[in-house]
Amino acid sequence: MERTPRMIRNAAVARQTAAESMVLLKNVNNTLPLVPAGDEPLPVAVFGVGQIRTVKGGTGSGEVNSVGNLNILDGLSQCAALAPDELLARKYRTWCLEHKDRTKGNFLLPTVHHNEEMPLADVDLPALAGTCAAAILVISRTAGEGADMQYEPGTLALTEEETAMIRAVCAAFDKTVLVLNTPGYVELADVLPGLSAAIFIGLPGQEGGAALADVLTGAVPPSGHLSDTWPIRYADYANAAYYGGGPSNGIQHKGMFGLQEQINVSYADDIYVGYRYFDTFGLAVQFPFGYGLTYGAPALAECAMGYAGGRVTVTARVENASEAYPCREVVQVYLSLPQGRLEQPYAKLAAFQKTGTLEPGGAQTVTLEFDLADLAGYDEQGAAYVLEAGYYDVRVGFSSRDTQVAGSVYLPKDVTTLKLSNRIADRVKQQLQKIGLTPEEWGGDIVCCEGSGKSGQGVENLLEMMLLQADVMELAANPDRRANGYVIESELEQGFGPTATMLVTGGTLKVGDAILVGEYFGKIRSLIDDCGRRIKSAGPATPVKCTGLSGVPEAGAEFRVMLDEKRARTLAEDA
């Protein structure tokens, strides 16, 4: 199909956008850019089926219609500065013709995220290394709507075939460039040390092959930066154990075509999402948030900040110290908040701006601004966004771990930037009222205390109100009887067997008591209090962990002390 002028203009925009978003991850000894020594194009060997089956966009809505998809091999072949080895390219084209593209399956079936790699048994690597100046290896993945990747070979991890290909090529060539045509992170710890360069191109759209050629040859200096932290190992992610691939915790989710499915949803990160987790706790990473290399030598020559009317202004002068290559850089501003009553991460991204192209010896001053209130912390108890009193350090750099303090803002007292209301608490009160339990503040007699078990806010007030209510209602329990109560939580612990944390509501629970807990029984071997101390007995209103049960009871199960273990066993077996 002949392209219209509008299509041509749009293709140029797509090419430029893709090139400017590509992230140079590694570049040893100026492996890149690939520049011919003379007038002849630079011979290169391109490996990996992703050079032909380049993924331009994700699945589902990401698989939009386009005029075409210029794959990596065609993009490099059309570049006047490069000459991919034709025999090797022919082998890969033949392989792809003879082997189905597994990522293009039936949308009703589970998505296959990668394609099988072509074996290199028939490829003379030493001969190629003798005629080609560099090797380019392409790893491709697809993902998207209804097709998230889990951690397994061929998704977030390399397959054995991919690892073997990379190691074999690295052993034969002096210059090796890994191209990651993937939606995001891939675990590279086992192969990265052997590579001389690596570049993350993401899912680059219809002009991805041409855009990559622009970056590899230096026609466009790389200037993309990572929008997330890349850990050394996938397991280093704080939520690695909770991501959707884990066992279901019973959350109902409406999937494709309205079908109900159970998924694992566990938001355990709290405020420590992404780089806030890695940077706050000082964990080693492969590449930090905001990371990205370029060909020149950018440096922050000057930094200054000002504060007026609640707005922070930062000026930064970036200089290119290289004598050979131009560069572009992304200036990033982070804010470190005072560690007061509210928990805060080490730093939060406040602003960023990309420079123009800086020629060798060139420089540019950029100005960035942000409202301090936009980074206020949330006070759960007060239902408000608050800037706590203290020093706010403004950091400037090229990634979350490459910053310097440009200045500080001091607030002498707390400032509430936005007052809200605890709507969840109000909704709970409405639900209580519907079943006849009217809160005191709404004219009833039910005491309601708002608080957070996670942050501890409001817990002290809750305990005071519980003691007050107990006195007013003259609540009491008889400690001189066989104990009963409820299971709070239970688990199977190594070295202890089944354990249950229980709350005694009546009587006194003692070591040696025969106990019935739902469908399980046992004889109490040990009691451990909330401080981890072994105790001999636990009276009313006392939480205690016990061992000696025949199984792991459910949370909420009622327990009773029986006359003897035989009676407990009989009732348990009949349950």
Side-chain angles (χ1 to χ4, degrees), residues 241-265:
Y242 307 110
Y243 187 58
S248 167
N249 61 4
I251 301 295
Q252 291 291 328
H253 167 73
K254 183 175 288 188
M256 294 184 67
F257 310 112
L259 300 177
Q260 290 290 331
E261 58 184 22
Q262 286 193 341
I263 59 173
N264 175 29
V265 177

Side-chain angles (χ1 to χ4, degrees), residues 396-476:
V396 183
F398 298 147
S399 77
S400 67
R401 296 202 176 184
D402 176 22
T403 62
Q404 61 188 56
V405 177
S408 299
V409 175
Y410 176 71
L411 298 182
K413 61 180 181 180
D414 290 0
V415 176
T416 298
T417 63
L418 181 62
K419 180 62 180 171
L420 304 171
S421 61
N422 282 323
R423 302 299 299 273
I424 294 178
D426 291 342
R427 188 160 65 243
V428 171
K429 292 174 184 177
Q430 291 172 357
Q431 293 170 345
L432 290 173
Q433 189 176 38
K434 287 180 179 179
I435 59 175
L437 303 175
T438 304
E440 278 186 335
E441 56 265 44
W442 292 1
D445 57 0
I446 302 300
V447 178
C448 294
C449 300
E450 297 180 11
S452 169
K454 183 177 293 186
S455 67
Q457 294 177 355
V459 173
E460 185 175 345
N461 179 56
L462 172 63
L463 295 175
E464 290 178 357
M465 294 305 298
M466 289 173 63
L467 291 174
L468 177 61
Q469 284 295 101
D471 288 342
V472 171
M473 299 174 68
E474 298 182 348
L475 298 178

Side-chain angles (χ1 to χ4, degrees), residues 141 149 156 180-187 200 202-203 228 230:
R141 297 284 188 271
M149 291 195 293
L156 301 175
L180 292 173
N181 170 217
T182 63
Y185 170 80
V186 174
E187 190 176 89
F200 169 62
L203 307 183
D228 57 352
W230 284 30

Side-chain angles (χ1 to χ4, degrees), residues 295-453:
Y295 292 149
L300 277 175
E302 299 174 8
C303 272
M305 66 143 288
Y307 179 69
R311 193 162 181 81
V312 177
T313 301
V314 175
T315 57
R317 179 177 172 82
V318 182
E319 295 181 351
N320 182 9
S322 172
E323 297 180 356
Y325 302 111
C327 71
R328 294 190 71 183
E329 188 52 272
V330 177
V331 179
Q332 302 166 40
V333 179
Y334 296 83
L335 186 70
S336 292
L337 286 72
Q339 296 294 332
R341 178 173 53 86
L342 302 179
E343 195 172 2
Q344 299 289 354
Y346 170 73
K348 299 178 182 179
L349 179 67
F352 62 92
Q353 183 176 328
K354 183 178 288 190
T355 69
T357 299
L358 305 181
E359 298 298 331
Q364 180 183 344
T365 299
V366 297
T367 301
L368 305 95
E369 296 183 339
F370 66 93
D371 290 327
L372 196 65
D374 289 343
L375 286 95
Y378 185 69
D379 180 357
E380 294 182 12
Q381 182 65 22
Y385 283 94
V386 177
L387 290 170
E388 293 189 281
Y391 287 94
Y392 290 75
D393 293 333
V394 179
R395 302 176 179 274
V396 183
F398 298 147
S399 77
S400 67
R401 296 202 176 184
D402 176 22
T403 62
Q404 61 188 56
V405 177
S408 299
V409 175
Y410 176 71
L411 298 182
K413 61 180 181 180
D414 290 0
V415 176
T416 298
T417 63
L418 181 62
K419 180 62 180 171
L420 304 171
S421 61
N422 282 323
R423 302 299 299 273
I424 294 178
D426 291 342
R427 188 160 65 243
V428 171
K429 292 174 184 177
Q430 291 172 357
Q431 293 170 345
L432 290 173
Q433 189 176 38
K434 287 180 179 179
I435 59 175
L437 303 175
T438 304
E440 278 186 335
E441 56 265 44
W442 292 1
D445 57 0
I446 302 300
V447 178
C448 294
C449 300
E450 297 180 11
S452 169

